[in-house]
């Protein structure tokens, strides 16, 4: 077929492949009315994370955020799930783990670059005045809902978009436009009787029908800045950002590992970093090492808090001096309090020296939440 006989949609699909977009689909820009009640209910019962776009109407009605929307182009980029150079295991050197969606360069940047290139192409090809609004997960629209409508895959019971080719290991982005395209067919749900993600979730965050209580999700909890609620600390294991469990257990993800995009390749020393050095990392070094990753968007404090929890979960006694230093010197109550909890988990009960240290530190502590952590650690070690 000659190039001129192809429709604009066909030419866009061909161009998307040249750009390195792994999957593309086209949907109508009709309101997502079917989600309105669900989102309102979610907010009402407090199951939202608070990181979502706050205006529900704008998430449902494309016409509120775009002048005369006709179509939405949905794109997916597949990301790697296995490291090629896993850091060597050295006895006593404990490492944390960033979830896979944080490997490599921040996916927001990668998606934006691909979408900008696609938009530039469409602008050149279209015979009329065209307008666009690209967005990734911080935008108004719900990525998975758009992708499902555009036929990229179905939304599983884990709430994620599952594609046939790449499983759920895809980053999603979408472009609203005033151009009209023939819509693609949505894919029917393929979960069947499977409940692996629901039973595999360590915090019971998944409600069973694709909805979740985002506040119970470790992916959300590892991104908060305050004290980590006690019930999640042990469940975090050694993760310091995000959670991959409901993806790892999904049969659609079995054997899926794609290395299409150089910039998504993880730096093993950074996505599985040694934990102890993280506790004293400077702002500058943190930015240099982790600044490019999606997992650094909340700054270094949540990562350091999570690293302390991971050290506690390893019961790493060699971390005690560094944890005591945090208690004595760190200016942030969340770090002092979490370190006190970790010392309570790791230290031996008969260690009078550590108990005396904690009592002295407790007497100097002015933050109420941290004080509570000190008290609990002292009580545990004296029991
Ligand atoms: Fe549960 Fe982890 Fe999935 Fe969140 S990301 S729903 S905590 S398994
Ligand atoms: Fe669906 Fe099973 Fe995958 Fe969950 S683990 S999303 S239930 S197929």
């Amino acid at each position: 077929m000659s190039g001129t006989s192809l429709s604009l949609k066909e030419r866009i699909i061909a161009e998307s492949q040249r750009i390195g977009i792994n999957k593309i689909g086209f949907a109508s820009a009709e309101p997502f009315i079917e989600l309105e009640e669900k989102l309102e209910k979610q907010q009402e019962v407090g199951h939202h994370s608070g990181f979502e776009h706050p205006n529900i109407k704008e998430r449902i009605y494309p016409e509120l955020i775009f002048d005369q929307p006709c179509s939405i182009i949905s794109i997916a980029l597949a990301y790697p799930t296995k490291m090629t150079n896993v850091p060597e295991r050295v006895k006593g050197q404990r490492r944390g783990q960033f979830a896979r969606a944080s490997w490599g360069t921040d996916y927001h940047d990668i998606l934006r670059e691909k979408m900008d290139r696609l938009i530039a192409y469409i602008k050149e090809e279209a015979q009329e005045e065209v307008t666009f609004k690209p967005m990734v997960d911080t935008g108004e629209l719900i990525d998975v809902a758009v992708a499902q409508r555009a036929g990229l895959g179905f939304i599983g019971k884990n709430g994620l978009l599952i594609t046939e080719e790449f499983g759920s290991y895809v980053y999603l982005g979408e472009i609203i436009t005033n151009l009209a395209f023939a819509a693609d067919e949505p894919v029917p749900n393929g979960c069947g009787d499977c409940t692996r993600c629901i039973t595999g979730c360590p915090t019971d965050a998944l409600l069973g029908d694709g909805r979740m209580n985002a506040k119970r999700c470790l992916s959300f909890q590892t991104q908060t800045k305050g004290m980590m609620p006690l019930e999640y600390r042990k469940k975090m294991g050694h993760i310091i950002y995000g959670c991959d469990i409901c993806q790892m257990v999904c049969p659609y993800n079995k054997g899926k590992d794609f290395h299409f995009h150089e910039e998504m390749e993880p730096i093993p020393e950074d996505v599985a970093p040694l934990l102890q050095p993280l506790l004293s990392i400077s702002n500058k070094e943190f930015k240099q090492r982790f600044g490019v990753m999606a997992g650094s968007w909340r700054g270094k404090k949540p990562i350091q808090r999570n690293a302390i929890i991971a050290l506690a979960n390893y019961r790493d006694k060699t971390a005690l001096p560094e944890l005591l230093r945090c208690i004595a010197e760190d200016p942030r109550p969340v770090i002092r309090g979490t370190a006190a909890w970790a010392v309570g988990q790791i230290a031996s009960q008969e260690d009078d020296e550590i108990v005396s240290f904690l009592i002295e530190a407790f007497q100097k502590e002015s933050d109420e939440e941290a004080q509570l952590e000190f008290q609990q650690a002292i009580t545990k070690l004296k029991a």
Side-chain angles (χ1 to χ4, degrees), residues 64-341:
L64 295 181
I65 56 166
F66 191 86
D67 185 29
Q68 297 181 340
C70 276
S71 312
I72 312 176
I73 304 172
S74 171
I75 68 159
L77 303 181
Y79 59 84
T81 62
K82 293 194 176 70
M83 268 187 259
T84 39
N85 292 314
V86 182
E88 202 187 325
R89 277 174 186 249
V90 178
K91 199 167 178 276
Q93 292 196 345
R94 304 301 195 175
R95 291 179 182 274
Q97 186 79 50
F98 278 83
R100 285 162 179 77
S102 177
W103 289 6
T105 302
D106 189 332
Y107 61 92
H108 297 87
D109 298 333
I110 302 176
L111 278 163
R112 261 183 223 294
E113 192 263 340
K114 302 277 185 215
M115 291 195 290
D116 285 348
R117 283 171 66 187
L118 195 63
I119 288 171
Y121 174 81
I122 303 171
K123 271 187 183 157
E124 255 187 55
E125 291 290 308
Q127 307 292 320
E128 51 195 297
E129 180 69 25
V130 283
T131 51
F132 302 93
K133 181 176 165 78
M135 60 186 84
V136 286
D137 65 2
T138 43
E140 292 88 346
L141 298 185
I142 300 165
D143 302 315
V144 291
V146 175
Q148 184 183 38
R149 188 187 277 181
L152 261 53
F154 65 90
I155 300 174
K157 289 177 193 168
N158 56 10
L160 300 168
L161 194 276
I162 301 178
T163 67
E164 195 189 335
E165 306 87 333
F166 317 114
S168 60
Y169 295 123
V170 284
Y171 298 129
L172 300 172
E174 57 271 338
I175 304 166
I176 312 179
T177 175
N178 64 341
L179 282 172
F181 293 105
D184 291 315
E185 277 295 305
V187 179
N189 186 286
C191 286
D193 295 335
C194 178
T195 53
R196 280 182 183 212
C197 54
I198 298 161
T199 48
C201 173
T203 62
D204 297 326
L206 298 171
L207 305 182
D209 54 1
R211 287 179 306 139
M212 68 147 68
N213 178 351
K215 293 217 175 69
R216 291 196 64 78
C217 177
L218 291 181
S219 200
F220 164 73
Q221 285 294 342
T222 54
Q223 298 178 52
T224 60
K225 291 190 173 175
M227 288 301 301
M228 176 64 66
L230 199 53
E231 70 166 306
Y232 303 123
R233 294 184 196 169
K234 290 192 179 157
K235 291 179 172 166
M236 284 166 59
H238 311 137
I239 207 85
I240 55 173
Y241 181 84
C243 172
D244 282 330
I245 295 171
C246 59
Q247 301 207 76
M248 281 158 63
V249 298
C250 179
Y252 285 97
N253 284 338
K254 196 160 185 268
K256 300 281 197 267
D257 177 32
F258 296 94
H259 296 260
F260 297 124
H261 310 277
E262 180 104 28
E263 60 277 43
M264 291 180 189
E265 289 303 321
I267 298 171
E269 280 300 326
D270 293 346
V271 301
L274 290 172
L275 289 166
Q276 286 192 39
L278 281 181
L279 305 194
S280 57
I281 194 169
S282 67
N283 289 341
K284 193 174 163 201
E285 197 196 336
F286 182 82
K287 215 166 167 215
Q288 267 165 2
R289 272 185 73 188
F290 303 104
V292 75
M293 289 164 58
S296 71
W297 79 286
R298 299 282 283 167
K300 78 174 184 178
K301 189 170 77 171
I303 302 291
Q304 289 180 312
R305 175 200 61 187
N306 301 342
I308 293 171
I309 295 170
L311 285 165
N313 288 338
Y314 274 121
R315 298 283 186 275
D316 182 0
K317 279 202 160 39
T318 71
L320 282 170
E322 191 54 8
L323 292 170
L324 297 180
R325 185 198 60 75
C326 288
I327 292 171
E329 293 175 7
D330 202 287
R332 299 158 300 175
V334 165
I335 298 297
R336 294 196 299 272
T338 310
W341 170 79

